[in-house]
Amino acid sequence: VKLKLVDNEEALFDAPLYMGIAGSVLALVLRLTGFEGISLMASYASTLFGILFCFILKVMHVRPYKQQLILESAEYPPA
């Protein structure tokens, strides 16, 4: 059951990526509307941080937890 719940919440684990893209769009919109305090590097950095945090979350936390759940389910097959 836990494994199915984790699979259902897969889109939430992509949240840092979506937030990074939203930050990029916001920085570009501010830049195009004449707000000179924002550089293009802020846009690129936002995307990069989103990608990195998404990668770290999925590889360091979600994947090992899913592996643990799969191994536990293999130990106790359904009757």
Side-chain angles (χ1 to χ4, degrees):
V1 173
K2 289 181 184 179
L3 187 58
K4 288 181 183 180
L5 289 173
V6 169
D7 285 339
N8 285 341
E9 302 298 330
E10 191 70 30
L12 293 178
F13 298 125
D14 292 334
L17 181 61
Y18 300 140
M19 290 172 45
I21 292 171
S24 295
V25 170
L26 180 65
L28 289 173
V29 167
L30 286 174
R31 179 72 177 173
L32 291 174
T33 57
F35 193 83
E36 297 297 325
I38 302 291
S39 69
L40 290 177
M41 285 303 294
S43 176
Y44 299 135
S46 177
T47 302
L48 180 64
F49 283 130
I51 291 169
L52 288 176
F53 285 130
C54 187
F55 175 77
I56 290 169
L57 177 68
K58 284 190 164 190
V59 171
M60 300 289 192
H61 298 289
V62 176
R63 189 166 184 247
Y65 184 63
K66 279 179 131 177
Q67 286 178 345
Q68 176 189 352
L69 291 175
I70 291 170
L71 290 174
E72 285 177 8
S73 68
E75 290 177 9
Y76 305 105

